[in-house]
Amino acid sequence: MLELEMTNLVKTFKNKTAVQDVNVCLGHGVYGLLGENGAGKTTLMRMVCGILQPTLGNILCDGVPISQMGGEYRRLLGYLPQDFGYYGDFSALRFLNYMAALKALPEEYARNRIDELFELVDLAGDKKNKLKTFSGGMLRRVGIAQALLNDPEILVLDEPTAGLDPAERVRFRNIISSLGKNRLVILSTHIVSDVEYIADKIMIMKNGQIMQVSDESQLLAETAGCVWKCLVPEGRADELGKQHVISNLRNQADQVELRIVAGDKPVENAVPAEATLEDAYLYFTKSKFLRN
């Protein structure tokens, strides 16, 4: 089984450190990389893909630095960037043929593979239509198809559901879930629901650092006892929002129901609530609110 290891990984840009001392080892499965915009996710993904070189540290594929592997590593890799570029006047079929040529795939293999991928992403009936007529969700599905052309063992997806409506987001998640059975998939996102049901492991990133690498049950166990529900007067909600992380707010007549992530009981009438993955994400990324 292929293994991807990041050791003491650092990336700086002038006076900004985008990635700080990342040490993780990944095998087959779906890894959800969660973090706010600006947390360093895209920089980390671009290093994994060999687009950026680390300032310090190494990325190893089965023990070999990817910087030494060249084309051998690129053959293992599929990448869907956050900003997916395409030619609007190309049909989907022409675009995938073009991408297959850039990847130097044999013509017969490419033809068969493209047919398979159009079926996988449910675009077989639209393959002759121009990309400029496609919806955002359809373009994202073309993007995943191009990333899969070479049947990669490592699939990197940077914010793949950005801008999609709920139905397209569900469709995309289902595709990703099926792909993680026999390859390493890294899905970078700031949307918790994108990884909640499909990730085998969840990596939480903040300020360039990986704070946690755990499965969902472990994250929820560590957050247990730090989620509260309470009813407060409307005017009190703003005050509590300045003191605590509020993960949900709902108005009820002249009161407000709050869901609060806090190490200690935030108000006298607060009662414990069962933690969700979103609560856990807030717990680990808002460090000043952690329990003592």
Side-chain angles (χ1 to χ4, degrees):
M1 183 177 74
L2 180 146
E3 185 176 85
L4 194 68
E5 184 177 7
M6 305 173 210
T7 61
N8 307 118
L9 204 60
V10 175
K11 183 63 181 179
T12 58
F13 299 98
K14 294 184 179 179
N15 297 323
K16 176 179 173 60
T17 300
V19 173
Q20 301 186 54
D21 198 30
V22 168
N23 291 274
V24 292
C25 188
L26 312 177
H28 280 185
V30 178
Y31 292 83
L33 178 60
L34 279 176
E36 298 174 346
N37 291 329
K41 304 187 303 298
T42 293
T43 300
L44 182 62
M45 296 298 90
R46 288 169 68 85
M47 285 194 287
V48 167
C49 293
I51 298 168
L52 291 176
Q53 297 303 310
T55 305
L56 294 171
N58 270 305
I59 301 175
L60 310 174
C61 181
D62 285 341
V64 180
I66 65 171
S67 58
Q68 298 177 13
M69 295 177 68
E72 181 185 353
Y73 181 67
R74 288 192 293 274
R75 283 190 291 273
L76 296 173
L77 185 70
Y79 178 43
L80 175 59
Q82 182 174 357
D83 297 314
F84 167 52
Y86 62 93
Y87 298 104
D89 283 327
F90 278 22
S91 69
L93 178 59
R94 184 183 176 191
F95 179 74
L96 288 191
N97 276 314
Y98 170 72
M99 295 302 296
L102 289 182
K103 296 184 181 191
L105 300 178
E107 188 175 336
E108 184 178 354
Y109 169 84
R111 184 168 55 251
N112 293 331
R113 181 66 175 157
I114 288 169
D115 285 342
E116 291 174 5
L117 291 172
F118 276 130
E119 292 293 338
L120 175 69
V121 300
D122 196 22
L123 287 174
D126 299 283
K127 64 183 180 182
K128 294 185 179 180
N129 297 335
K130 289 186 176 183
L131 294 178
K132 66 184 179 182
T133 69
F134 280 22
S135 68
M138 293 169 74
L139 287 172
R140 278 293 171 185
R141 283 183 271 152
V142 173
I144 190 68
Q146 68 79 26
L148 290 167
L149 277 169
N150 56 325
D151 196 19
E153 290 192 54
I154 302 170
L155 183 61
V156 178
L157 309 169
D158 192 2
E159 300 282 357
T161 65
L164 300 190
D165 64 36
E168 282 286 4
R169 182 171 284 121
V170 170
R171 184 201 297 266
F172 203 93
R173 286 203 304 259
N174 291 341
I175 292 172
I176 302 310
S177 182
S178 68
L179 294 173
K181 295 176 183 176
N182 56 359
R183 53 174 55 85
L184 193 168
V185 180
I186 306 174
L187 191 164
S188 166
T189 184
H190 64 281
I191 303 170
V192 174
S193 61
D194 280 353
V195 299
E196 189 167 11
Y197 299 108
I198 64 172
D200 299 297
K201 294 281 186 180
I202 295 167
M203 301 184 290
I204 297 179
M205 193 169 193
K206 177 186 178 183
N207 296 333
Q209 296 180 305
I210 300 292
M211 310 292 292
Q212 285 282 320
V213 183
S214 305
D215 60 32
E216 183 179 358
S217 61
Q218 291 173 308
L219 290 173
L220 295 181
E222 293 192 47
T223 315
C226 295
V227 184
W228 310 84
K229 288 176 67 174
C230 60
L231 275 173
V232 298
E234 191 172 330
R236 186 81 197 282
D238 289 340
E239 177 188 338
L240 287 170
K242 296 174 183 177
Q243 301 170 8
H244 303 286
V245 176
I246 296 178
S247 63
N248 200 15
L249 178 153
R250 184 167 57 188
N251 289 302
Q252 291 190 2
D254 59 342
Q255 291 190 306
V256 180
E257 183 182 77
L258 300 179
R259 185 179 182 89
I260 297 175
V261 180
D264 300 309
K265 194 174 185 177
V267 292
E268 186 61 34
N269 69 331
V271 295
E274 187 174 351
T276 66
L277 184 58
E278 187 173 63
D279 296 323
Y281 169 65
L282 291 171
Y283 176 80
F284 286 106
T285 55
K286 306 294 184 182
S287 60
K288 68 179 180 178
F289 299 104
L290 297 182
R291 283 180 295 192
N292 296 325

